[in-house]
Amino acid sequence: MGKIILPHQSYAFDDIKGGNWAESEPYFADSLRFCQDWLCGQTSFELKTSGSTGTPKTIRVQRTQMVVSARATQGFFRIAAHARLLCCLNTAMVAGKMMLVRGILWDADIYLVNPTADPFSANKLPERFDFVAMVPLQAETCLNNPRGLQKLLGIKHLLIGGAGLSPTLFDKIKEQKLNAYQSFGMTETVSHFALAKIEGENLLYRTLPGVKIGTDDSGKLWVKAPMAIDPLLQTNDLVEMVDEESFFWKGRADFTINSGGIKIQPEILESQIQPWIHTFFGAVPFLIGGKADERLGQKVVLLIESEQKPGFQTENLFDSLSKHIPKYQVPREILFVKPFEKTESGKINRLKTLEKIK
């Protein structure tokens, strides 16, 4: 019988099912409650979407979908029973929840730690794991220190998802010969539906068994998957089909910013920060965009249509935004661009304006 191992305590699945665990910090308590719900047979669960197919929302997925997803991953990697897993992802989101589900269904030992940038930094953990999932920021942090690298080398199957890989991280993984895969999926497909071995020059994604894919007239990927919430899901991902089961990813067709695995909707953020923009710079046109970043994949930047202002105004804006919005949404740079590119109807052309800062 598998168990969940916390930093200072461990619980067999039977104990968790019966609610027999000691009081602990909220993150671990919430994770254990989810496991209890699962072990008691709850048939559906609410999950927050990340925004891959539109505005973030809460959706309800069925237990059967999560089982199909976990079993497909187990079959792909040929994970045996009683495996050793590390869950270092946020269990409030689908990726973390699915690590818990996988561990339970695989009758595994699940080592549960806080989802920090370096999961190995302050935890007494085994030298070897059979299966670990990370976001790129975690993988890169571990690669950049000797202790973390040693731990990564002891992972039999490493899954990296939530954001794209920077060229530097891609090369480091290949250099160390990690058995690592980039995942491709969304909340609506209950985690990944395709995986790419991190090797060669480009990532070739291959679908899991039972998944059918294709593209619409504009080259955007659609998915029919047994683990998906809908029979057909249309994404905003531009892909190059290789055959009926594999593809290369080319980019996003929308404006979603993916910063370190956190997806940010520019239009929503713009409406939130407008009062402070106008306070310090007046009623000037502005937009939020994503700029390539080695560490985060993309970083949030603020573009203002204006001549550059004195430094104190920029500093005051940074200070105000830092106090009123989540830190991962605070722009890493404020850039002054004049003029903004416009559409024929006079609206801001985001793509062409953002091209000016590349």
Side-chain angles (χ1 to χ4, degrees):
M1 173 64 70
K3 57 184 177 291
I4 293 185
I5 299 97
L6 307 183
H8 304 293
Q9 186 60 274
S10 66
Y11 301 100
F13 291 156
D14 282 345
D15 291 330
I16 296 171
K17 182 177 181 179
N20 300 318
W21 67 76
E23 183 177 347
S24 59
E25 63 180 85
Y27 174 74
F28 294 114
D30 289 344
S31 301
L32 292 173
R33 276 192 289 271
F34 170 79
C35 292
Q36 182 185 32
D37 291 340
W38 181 273
L39 290 163
C40 289
Q42 186 167 315
T43 58
S44 65
F45 299 85
E46 285 191 349
L47 300 177
K48 295 179 180 178
T49 72
S50 59
S52 293
T53 58
T55 303
K57 57 185 179 295
T58 299
I59 62 174
R60 182 166 289 277
V61 301
Q62 300 303 308
R63 180 188 185 93
T64 51
Q65 295 172 246
M66 302 171 84
V67 170
V68 169
S69 176
R71 292 301 187 199
T73 300
Q74 183 179 25
F76 185 93
F77 290 109
R78 299 180 181 178
I79 305 292
H82 313 302
R84 183 181 289 166
L85 276 60
L86 173 65
C87 180
C88 55
L89 300 176
N90 186 352
T91 57
M93 306 299 289
V94 63
K97 281 184 167 59
M98 282 306 302
M99 282 300 295
L100 298 176
V101 170
R102 292 177 191 125
I104 294 172
L105 291 177
W106 302 351
D107 197 21
D109 286 344
I110 310 169
Y111 287 78
L112 178 62
V113 300
N114 279 301
T116 60
D118 184 356
F120 302 117
S121 61
N123 301 289
K124 295 181 179 179
L125 295 169
E127 289 300 316
R128 297 192 175 276
F129 286 96
D130 295 293
F131 185 82
V132 179
M134 292 182 171
V135 297
L137 180 59
Q138 291 174 317
E140 184 159 19
T141 301
C142 293
L143 277 165
N144 288 336
N145 69 79
R147 186 171 182 270
L149 174 58
Q150 190 62 37
K151 294 286 190 179
L152 288 181
L153 292 170
I155 297 173
K156 189 174 183 180
H157 303 290
L158 175 61
L159 184 67
I160 302 178
L165 302 176
S166 70
T168 301
L169 179 56
F170 188 85
D171 290 340
K172 285 181 179 179
I173 290 171
K174 292 193 298 180
E175 180 183 343
Q176 295 298 332
K177 298 181 180 179
L178 302 180
N179 187 38
Y181 288 77
Q182 170 80 39
S183 69
F184 195 100
M186 60 199 77
T187 305
E188 292 88 342
T189 57
V190 192
S191 190
H192 52 265
F193 60 84
L195 295 165
K197 181 71 180 294
I198 301 175
E199 60 184 2
E201 297 301 320
N202 298 299
L203 290 172
L204 176 63
Y205 290 93
R206 300 185 185 277
T207 58
L208 297 182
V211 175
K212 297 184 182 300
I213 58 173
T215 57
D216 64 8
D217 292 340
S218 59
K220 293 187 292 186
L221 180 72
W222 57 255
V223 184
K224 294 180 180 179
M227 64 282 287
I229 188 172
D230 293 320
L232 173 66
L233 282 174
Q234 178 64 59
T235 77
N236 284 314
D237 294 285
L238 298 169
V239 302
E240 176 188 340
M241 296 288 295
V242 176
D243 54 39
E244 294 181 348
E245 299 177 344
S246 59
F247 61 91
F248 291 107
W249 183 73
K250 297 170 62 178
R252 298 287 300 180
D254 61 3
F255 304 114
T256 302
I257 302 168
N258 192 330
S259 184
I262 298 173
K263 295 187 176 69
I264 299 164
Q265 300 295 328
E267 294 89 344
I268 296 175
L269 182 54
E270 286 163 5
S271 66
Q272 294 173 339
I273 69 173
Q274 180 176 324
W276 294 286
I277 302 292
H278 288 184
T279 295
F280 296 107
F281 293 96
V284 295
F286 70 95
L287 64 85
I288 290 290
K291 186 178 180 181
D293 183 84
E294 280 287 324
R295 187 164 181 262
L296 299 171
Q298 285 183 302
K299 62 182 177 182
V300 179
V301 295
L302 168 64
L303 278 66
I304 298 176
E305 189 180 40
S306 173
E307 301 293 343
Q308 188 163 357
K309 299 292 182 178
F312 75 89
Q313 289 175 280
T314 301
E315 293 173 4
N316 288 341
L317 177 58
F318 268 127
D319 184 61
S320 295
L321 295 181
S322 298
K323 292 177 180 177
H324 292 93
I325 63 175
K327 64 178 182 180
Y328 61 83
Q329 293 185 354
V330 176
R332 299 298 180 103
E333 287 186 68
I334 297 178
L335 305 171
F336 298 90
V337 176
K338 191 173 184 179
F340 279 9
E341 297 295 322
K342 305 292 196 302
T343 65
E344 291 183 359
S345 62
K347 295 180 180 179
I348 296 173
N349 187 318
R350 287 177 178 268
L351 287 177
K352 289 188 177 181
T353 300
L354 289 170
E355 284 176 359
K356 292 187 171 186
I357 66 169
K358 290 183 178 180

